[in-house]
Amino acid sequence: MEARALAKNIPISPQKLQLVVDTVRGKKVEEALNILRFLHTPAARPVAKVIKSAVANAENNYQLAPAKLKITHISVDKGITLKRRRARARGRGNTILKRSAHIQVAVEEV
C-alpha cells in the first residue's frame, strides 16, 4: 500500500528544492532523513517535513512499519508566483518574482 503526503506553497523556488529532492529519490526513509539532516541548505527542512508526514500517514492509516518504508515517488511542482515591484532609477520599476513550490511524496513498504 502506498501512502502519500503533499505540501503546498512552500516559499522556496522549485529549482532549489529540486536539487534536494534529487538527492533522496529512491532511498529508504531513514537514510533519506539522515541525508537531509546534514544538508547545508534551508530547502532540506520542508522536504524532510513532508517525508515525515508521509511516514506518519503510512503508519497510522495503513499500519506499515516505518523502518521498512522506501520513497517511491517524490516530485516538486511550481506553485504560485508573487509579483512584486522594486523602485529603480529615473522613476522606473523592476519586477521581482517570489516563487513557491509544491512537494509530493509517496512511500511504500519494501
Side-chain angles (χ1 to χ4, degrees), residues 9 16 19 22 29 34 37 48 50 53 55 64 77 79 85:
N9 297 324
K16 292 176 185 176
L19 296 172
D22 288 340
V29 169
N34 281 334
R37 187 175 298 127
V50 178
S53 176
V55 170
L64 301 177
D77 300 320
R85 302 291 286 182

Side-chain angles (χ1 to χ4, degrees), residues 17-98:
L17 282 170
Q18 190 67 44
L19 296 172
V20 174
V21 165
D22 288 340
T23 62
V24 297
R25 182 175 283 123
K27 296 198 175 1
K28 289 194 171 194
V29 169
E30 290 179 10
E31 184 183 354
L33 290 175
N34 281 334
I35 290 170
L36 292 172
R37 187 175 298 127
F38 294 106
L39 278 180
H40 295 293
T41 175
R45 181 169 282 155
V47 174
K49 194 172 178 181
V50 178
I51 292 173
K52 288 177 186 176
S53 176
V55 170
N57 289 340
E59 191 175 1
N60 292 322
N61 299 341
Y62 304 114
Q63 287 73 38
L64 301 177
K68 297 180 181 179
L69 293 176
K70 180 181 178 183
I71 298 173
T72 56
H73 173 79
I74 185 166
S75 67
V76 176
D77 300 320
K78 273 191 343 185
I80 60 172
T81 301
L82 299 175
K83 294 177 181 166
R84 299 290 182 254
R85 302 291 286 182
R86 181 175 178 108
R88 304 310 274 174
R90 300 168 72 181
R92 295 182 180 154
N94 279 0
T95 304
I96 295 175
L97 302 176
K98 296 192 175 196

Side-chain angles (χ1 to χ4, degrees), residues 88-110:
R88 304 310 274 174
R90 300 168 72 181
R92 295 182 180 154
N94 279 0
T95 304
I96 295 175
L97 302 176
K98 296 192 175 196
R99 301 180 191 278
S100 67
H102 306 314
I103 305 172
Q104 294 180 4
V105 176
V107 294
E108 196 169 306
E109 200 169 33
V110 179

